[in-house]
Amino acid sequence: MKLFLLVLKNIRRNLLRSILTGLGTMVLVVVVIMVWSILWYLDEQTREKTSNIKAIVTERWQMPSRMPLSYAPELCAGSARRPEHVRPQDSMTWQFYVGSTEPGRLSRESALFIVATQPEKVLTMFDELDTLPPDSPDRRQLEKAIQALKTNRQALIVGRERLEAINKRVGERVKVYGMSFKRIDLEFDIVGTFPEGRWNNLSVMNWEYLNAAVDAYNRQPGNRPHPMTERSLAIVWLKVPDTRSFTAVATQIAASPSFTNPQVKVETLASGTAAFLEAFRDLIWGMRYFLMPAAVVTLCLVIANAISLSVRERRKEFAVLKVLGFRPAHILGLVLGEAMVLGVVSGLLSAAGVFMVINFVFGGLKFPIGFFGTFYIPVRAIWWGLAVGSATALIGSLVPAWIACRVRVAEIFARVG
Amino acid sequence: MTSGNSWCVQLRGIHKYFFRGSERLDVLNGLNLEVPEGEFLALMGPSGSGKTTLLNLIAGLDKPSEGEVWVRDQCISAMSEAQLARWRTRNIGFVFQFYHLLPVLTAYENVELPLLLLPLSASQRRQQVETVLELVGLKDRMHHRPGQLSGGQQQRVGIARALVTDPALILADEPTGDLDARSAEEILDLMVELQRSLQKTIILVTHDPRAASRTDRILHLDKGRLVDHLPTESAPPRRSPRVPSGG
């Protein structure tokens, strides 16, 4: 503690340099934290769980997956045909209706990516929505919107960013011109939004509305059956309690004679996401193995440079300390301490700052990759900031600190005298 | 290993040489010296004669190539660097020509520095620091930083820092070399006073004959050998009749 005060005073010695070093550290820690947040989130999404597993059933050989809607009932039951068969705890079907608010033109300002599903499943099967606290305002608001989705087939829940992009508000009506279901245009009442976060760009409609519209199209005199009639089902989601149940359900579906044309595949959400992210493999590799190390190495060099300058200027001072009885370990500790204080303070400040600014000012980090449009800085990033700041400070200052503690008094004062 | 006598410093057959490439440079050549407890000794000699090297050896800042350095009962030339550092804290006070105070610390904090290495409470440290600052007449300036003090005042702080651990031996390397005549005289007065009142052994390296004349004994180094050492008792008070000129 006695020497810690000396460390603090030494940091104040060249305040401008200390501030600049701190700022350099902060900028690089911000970069590291933002990249880590994305990688961490993707890792979390692709990490296999052992309980509360979500499985996805898709067409085996084609992307995007297009299965007949007639597959839905059996798939939702996990193809359980015998009493001893395992049944999923919950299930949900997804049909994708992509459309535009402007006829014949799909732009960022007009596009809507709508999932047609069972309204009651939004709160039980959608990631992150299924864990909303029971009494939270977000949940209450969503429950209200889902109720509207059940009672009004034309209801639509739109993600916040999408709602802003198409320049509409809750309560307004919107006509969507079908792009994936050509010639099937739908009118919607916007009844609510999702909580801020992962589903900012998604919209959800009642699946009955879409399927009724397809039926109506097919019934119209002169119309041939709509090409999407037999291939409108994109994904079936199943919730199973554990790995054993997942394996059983996957085996049941694979063994079913119902799913031969087209064939289907069952995988966990994690492995499905990982397969999807394969398309971004190079980008993620670059972030993980090039951008991150580059930022960390640069950070080490910034600190090493600043501390080296400081050590070079203070060689005489270290010699004086040795004359006064300071041991090499004391001097090593003083120099490392200065770097560590700078690193820890800068790391903590930048981590806390980036957490607040990215999450609360910018509403997340916009980095569209796969389904994930917006990333948030996790609270644990504050500890990452601390760890990155202190570790790079330690590494960056090791050599200068070693040089400082090896200062030979006789040589220094021979030069002085 | 003990020397078993009343010498404060004893050098036995000291050689110090360096190598520049294959060439050997002899700085000290078979030097023997004994400094009794409580003596105020001046070391004089031209530049490059080995004065500072000798002082560094006595302070344990450097090691002799051959020979032994004894300070009181300890052969410091056999100690490790860490042992020497620990030993210096308690046994050596060092006064530099250019003061070498830490610019970020106040006078008080500079003087307190060596005490941070000792197991003392904050109040004990405070008491010791204030005592020595009072001794050197700077208690009223103890919260000033070196940049706010004159050269003479900074050297007083340097002396206080050397005294604060109550060491047996004070080594002063040209302590008046960077001061004007008046300040130099004040510093010498202070050192003489401290040596008399506190009975410290002081070894003063200087080029200045006037400074040397204030000591009990003057030794002259030339080319790494002691060529002259004369007691000053027969001279006018604290002055040597045979001080080599030109330092």
Side-chain angles (χ1 to χ4, degrees):
Chain A
M1 185 59 196
K2 291 182 284 189
L3 295 180
F4 183 68
L5 292 175
L6 189 56
V7 166
L8 294 183
K9 283 176 186 284
N10 278 326
I11 289 173
R12 280 181 51 198
R13 168 194 305 259
N14 191 331
L15 202 54
L16 180 63
R17 185 192 297 157
S18 296
I19 289 172
L20 289 176
T21 307
L23 285 177
T25 307
M26 288 173 77
V27 168
L28 288 166
V29 168
V30 164
V31 172
V32 170
I33 284 179
M34 291 204 296
V35 175
W36 265 7
S37 294
I38 293 170
L39 294 176
W40 173 80
Y41 186 74
L42 294 179
D43 283 346
E44 285 293 302
Q45 296 303 313
T46 53
R47 180 174 300 147
E48 291 291 355
K49 295 201 287 187
T50 53
S51 60
N52 288 323
I53 296 169
K54 277 189 185 142
I56 49 176
V57 187
T58 52
E59 189 180 348
R60 177 177 286 275
W61 304 116
Q62 192 172 309
M63 277 280 279
S65 160
R66 281 172 181 164
M67 301 176 287
L69 190 59
S70 57
Y71 276 18
E74 190 178 335
L75 284 177
C76 286
S79 236
R81 292 176 303 278
R82 293 189 205 140
E84 69 271 21
H85 278 177
V86 176
R87 286 179 174 275
Q89 293 172 311
D90 202 354
S91 62
M92 162 176 76
T93 63
W94 273 16
Q95 294 164 275
F96 295 140
Y97 179 82
V98 182
S100 171
T101 55
E102 297 172 46
R105 183 171 174 268
L106 190 67
S107 66
R108 204 186 112 66
E109 292 74 28
S110 66
L112 276 172
F113 187 90
I114 303 171
V115 167
T117 187
Q118 298 75 43
E120 67 277 10
K121 304 296 184 183
V122 174
L123 270 173
T124 61
M125 289 293 287
F126 272 60
D127 263 3
E128 296 176 20
L129 301 181
D130 54 359
T131 53
L132 282 174
D135 293 325
S136 65
D138 278 344
R139 185 174 176 107
R140 281 203 296 272
Q141 199 180 28
L142 190 58
E143 279 172 346
K144 206 172 144 193
I146 289 166
Q147 191 55 38
L149 208 60
K150 285 180 190 169
T151 54
N152 173 10
R153 274 191 176 181
Q154 286 182 270
L156 183 71
I157 301 174
V158 186
R160 287 169 193 235
E161 276 180 27
R162 200 75 319 250
L163 194 60
E164 201 181 315
I166 62 171
N167 199 23
K168 292 284 180 186
R169 277 181 293 191
V170 173
E172 289 186 345
R173 206 170 170 81
V174 62
K175 180 164 186 179
V176 181
Y177 298 90
M179 309 292 276
S180 56
F181 286 73
K182 293 220 181 283
R183 295 180 301 283
I184 295 181
D185 304 331
L186 301 174
E187 282 196 37
F188 293 102
D189 298 319
I190 300 172
V191 295
T193 62
F194 293 112
E196 181 67 37
R198 179 162 173 189
W199 306 108
N200 271 352
N201 275 299
L202 193 79
S203 304
V204 167
M205 66 184 287
N206 190 325
W207 73 324
E208 290 176 359
Y209 182 35
L210 176 63
N211 295 322
V214 173
D215 289 345
Y217 176 90
N218 291 339
R219 280 198 304 270
Q220 273 185 9
N223 275 2
R224 296 169 65 184
H226 193 279
M228 290 295 282
T229 306
E230 286 304 313
R231 46 200 301 232
S232 69
L233 182 62
I235 300 173
V236 175
W237 294 82
L238 305 174
K239 192 192 276 184
V240 289
D242 49 37
T243 313
R244 210 175 119 262
S245 306
F246 168 77
T247 309
V249 167
T251 308
Q252 288 162 200
I253 291 173
S256 169
S258 309
F259 312 121
T260 51
N261 187 25
Q263 290 183 334
V264 297
K265 68 173 187 286
V266 186
E267 56 195 344
T268 59
L269 174 60
S271 62
T273 307
F276 183 84
L277 288 176
E278 270 295 290
F280 303 91
R281 188 178 56 187
D282 290 346
L283 179 65
I284 294 169
W285 186 93
M287 287 166 69
R288 193 186 301 274
Y289 297 110
F290 181 74
L291 185 58
M292 283 282 300
V296 169
V297 168
T298 309
L299 187 49
C300 287
L301 292 176
V302 165
I303 291 173
N305 184 47
I307 300 295
S308 294
L309 277 174
S310 171
V311 164
R312 199 173 307 141
E313 285 169 4
R314 290 156 57 199
R315 282 167 64 83
K316 248 185 280 175
E317 196 173 300
F318 294 129
V320 171
L321 290 177
K322 280 194 165 183
V323 172
L324 297 180
F326 280 66
R327 292 192 289 281
H330 287 130
I331 292 166
L332 190 81
L334 282 176
V335 178
L336 289 180
E338 286 170 33
M340 292 287 278
V341 167
L342 270 179
V344 166
V345 171
S346 308
L348 264 180
L349 281 179
S350 56
V354 78
F355 175 79
M356 303 289 283
V357 172
I358 294 287
N359 289 358
F360 301 121
V361 178
F362 291 111
L365 182 62
K366 314 288 186 234
F367 189 77
I369 180 170
F371 300 116
F372 317 108
T374 305
F375 292 83
Y376 293 89
I377 309 295
V379 179
R380 66 171 62 186
I382 292 171
W383 299 113
W384 296 345
L386 180 73
V388 171
S390 54
T392 50
L394 182 67
I395 294 166
S397 61
L398 269 178
V399 173
W402 181 254
I403 290 169
C405 82
R406 301 313 304 167
V407 157
R408 286 181 56 81
V409 180
E411 284 176 15
I412 299 291
F413 289 123
R415 283 176 206 167
V416 175
Chain B
M1 281 171 61
T2 63
S3 62
N5 56 38
S6 62
W7 301 117
C8 179
V9 177
Q10 199 171 30
L11 306 181
R12 297 176 184 167
I14 295 294
H15 285 267
K16 181 69 186 178
Y17 44 78
F18 301 97
F19 286 94
R20 186 182 291 161
S22 57
E23 183 190 5
R24 176 171 144 167
L25 301 173
D26 288 296
V27 181
L28 298 174
N29 293 308
L31 200 137
N32 291 296
L33 172 66
E34 287 165 339
V35 183
E37 291 278 4
E39 187 180 45
F40 193 174
L41 171 73
L43 272 176
M44 296 192 74
S47 293
S49 60
K51 305 185 298 292
T52 300
T53 304
L54 182 58
L55 212 60
N56 286 341
L57 293 178
I58 296 169
L61 299 172
D62 205 353
K63 294 206 171 192
S65 306
E66 292 171 32
E68 289 179 349
V69 180
W70 288 78
V71 178
R72 289 192 150 178
D73 289 339
Q74 289 178 290
C75 178
I76 65 163
S77 47
M79 290 183 185
S80 69
E81 190 179 354
Q83 284 174 319
L84 279 169
R86 222 169 275 129
W87 169 82
R88 263 197 305 274
T89 311
R90 288 193 178 276
N91 295 283
I92 298 285
F94 211 104
V95 182
F96 301 93
Q97 177 181 1
F98 298 107
Y99 336 125
H100 291 312
L101 304 176
L102 270 63
V104 290
L105 303 181
T106 61
Y108 178 94
E109 290 163 338
N110 266 289
V111 176
E112 191 189 25
L113 259 183
L115 296 182
L116 298 179
L117 304 172
L118 299 176
L120 298 173
S121 67
S123 63
Q124 285 172 318
R125 291 201 304 272
R126 180 165 200 86
Q127 192 183 348
Q128 280 185 238
V129 173
E130 286 181 358
T131 302
V132 287
L133 279 172
E134 186 145 29
L135 215 57
V136 299
L138 274 181
K139 198 175 174 190
D140 57 332
R141 301 287 174 102
M142 65 182 181
H143 297 304
H144 287 56
R145 286 173 194 259
Q148 298 166 316
L149 299 171
S150 69
Q153 287 169 331
Q154 287 187 58
Q155 193 57 291
R156 283 169 183 267
V157 176
I159 291 170
R161 183 176 64 184
L163 286 171
V164 75
T165 56
D166 193 23
L169 178 61
I170 306 281
L171 303 173
D173 191 1
E174 308 229 26
T176 57
D178 196 45
L179 300 175
D180 59 64
R182 191 175 156 200
S183 300
E185 201 61 31
E186 285 174 5
I187 290 297
L188 287 168
D189 287 343
L190 177 64
M191 291 183 78
V192 169
E193 180 58 32
L194 291 174
Q195 188 260 338
R196 282 182 183 163
S197 58
L198 302 176
Q199 290 299 302
K200 300 289 180 194
T201 306
I202 302 179
I203 299 178
L204 170 74
V205 163
T206 184
H207 279 105
D208 181 3
R210 281 178 305 172
S213 69
R214 305 289 300 271
T215 65
D216 300 329
R217 185 162 63 122
I218 301 169
L219 295 178
H220 193 83
L221 260 173
D222 191 23
K223 293 178 183 168
R225 293 177 196 280
L226 283 172
V227 294
D228 189 8
H229 56 102
L230 296 170
T232 56
E233 287 89 1
S234 58
R238 306 192 76 78
R239 286 190 180 274
S240 166
R242 293 179 58 190
V243 173
S245 60

